[in-house]
Amino acid sequence: MVSFNWNKTIFVLIDLVLGVYLILAITAFNKPDELNSTCGEVSINIKDGIVKGFLNADEVKVQLQRARLYPLGELMEQVNTRKIEETLRQNPFVESAECYKTQTGRVFINLTQRLPVMRVKADNGEDYYVDEHGNIMPNTHYVSDLAVATGHIQKKYAQKTLTRLGKYLLEHPLWRSQIEQVYVLADGTVELVPRVGEHIIYIGKPVDLDRKFTRLEKFYKYGLPKAGWNKYAYISIEFDNQIICKKNKK
């Protein structure tokens, strides 16, 4: 007959109970009580692209305050990160939004801005920006160093053609700093107004941009320094393998 050792069994059960208690106690002490903890810090990080965008942390804060979603001082349990993301994505200058909270009472908001590539001030009175994807962005009180497009511009033309031209100018430091205005003629051809020099640059239809601007860059390096930056009033790079210049009457 096998004897049952009650003493040993009791000790084993006590060890199990103590082990479970210790695990629960450690978990409880290491995890803050979200029901009672409040948000003590909000970190807003905004990522810019090639050019500085139109958002800043103060405006994001105001947008969330208006929507009654700014989390500072609120109970962490009641901070709705998904609702914050959905609200910020409605901002026309926001490309993407991510929000998360930590057990230490902090809320992090990470935003990526939509990249404006050109401002449009059309003859029909419309005033807006186009972004790198061809989307329309509303006018803003911010002053931008982007080239301004004027003239006979419809939104479809701006979204397709001017977006491509604006991206090209931004991606090339020389033209980003040199070209300040794009004028669209009635037939869809384009004139460029530079910051340096008293000439107008005619590129025709804004296609084959790399070949045209490469030719213009060589002319800037080897032709204008010898002739003088103000010698020509009009420079045409419309056609391959040639540059047509009209002298300044002055």
Side-chain angles (χ1 to χ4, degrees):
M1 181 176 180
V2 179
S3 61
F4 192 81
N5 193 333
W6 285 101
N7 291 332
K8 186 176 181 180
T9 303
I10 291 173
F11 280 121
V12 171
L13 290 174
I14 292 174
D15 287 341
L16 288 173
V17 172
L18 287 174
V20 173
Y21 172 78
L22 288 174
I23 292 173
L24 293 175
I26 291 172
T27 304
F29 281 120
N30 287 338
K31 183 178 180 181
D33 184 6
E34 191 175 276
L35 293 174
N36 298 321
S37 65
T38 59
C39 174
E41 181 182 349
V42 180
S43 177
I44 300 174
N45 177 51
I46 302 174
K47 181 180 178 182
D48 285 321
I50 300 175
V51 295
K52 187 175 182 180
F54 300 134
L55 280 178
N56 60 49
D58 290 337
E59 291 183 334
V60 174
K61 176 181 176 180
V62 169
Q63 181 183 357
L64 292 177
Q65 286 175 332
R66 289 174 178 171
R68 297 183 178 181
L69 290 172
Y70 191 65
L72 189 64
E74 299 293 333
L75 290 173
M76 291 297 288
E77 183 195 31
Q78 297 178 1
V79 175
N80 191 330
T81 56
R82 183 175 179 181
K83 187 67 175 178
I84 290 174
E85 291 175 346
E86 291 174 350
T87 300
L88 292 175
R89 290 191 188 111
Q90 295 174 9
N91 189 310
F93 301 116
V94 171
E95 177 79 20
S96 63
E98 178 190 25
C99 179
Y100 63 93
K101 53 186 177 179
T102 69
Q103 293 181 351
T104 57
R106 302 174 69 188
V107 174
F108 291 86
I109 299 172
N110 297 322
L111 300 176
T112 301
Q113 300 198 67
R114 292 170 63 182
L115 175 64
V117 296
M118 189 172 291
R119 182 175 181 179
V120 177
K121 299 184 71 173
D123 284 351
N124 58 14
E126 293 180 329
D127 188 350
Y128 54 88
Y129 290 85
V130 287
D131 73 4
E132 59 184 329
H133 304 299
N135 299 313
I136 300 297
M137 300 172 65
N139 188 15
T140 173
H141 62 276
Y142 281 101
V143 177
S144 173
D145 291 333
L146 296 174
V148 178
T150 59
H152 304 267
I153 305 172
Q154 300 297 322
K155 283 187 176 179
K156 185 177 292 186
Y157 180 92
Q159 291 177 287
K160 293 184 177 181
T161 306
L162 291 183
T163 294
R164 184 171 62 251
L165 177 58
K167 288 174 64 176
Y168 186 88
L169 296 178
L170 284 180
E171 290 168 356
H172 295 79
L174 172 61
W175 307 124
R176 186 167 71 238
S177 60
Q178 171 67 343
I179 305 302
E180 65 177 356
Q181 183 179 347
V182 175
Y183 184 73
V184 180
L185 303 174
D187 61 355
T189 59
V190 169
E191 295 176 340
L192 305 176
V193 180
R195 287 188 171 90
V196 179
E198 296 181 359
H199 53 272
I200 300 297
I201 304 164
Y202 180 72
I203 67 173
K205 296 287 185 181
V207 296
D208 299 324
L209 296 177
D210 197 51
R211 284 193 294 177
K212 291 179 179 180
F213 279 97
T214 298
R215 201 179 326 131
L216 180 62
E217 183 176 359
K218 291 180 179 178
F219 184 65
Y220 267 24
K221 286 183 177 180
Y222 306 112
L224 282 184
K226 294 180 180 180
W229 282 86
N230 297 324
K231 182 175 181 178
Y232 301 110
Y234 206 80
I235 299 172
S236 173
I237 56 173
E238 179 183 14
F239 302 110
D240 287 342
N241 302 319
Q242 61 177 318
I243 296 178
I244 302 173
C245 302
K246 293 181 180 179
K247 288 184 178 181
N248 194 329
K249 293 182 180 180
K250 293 181 182 180

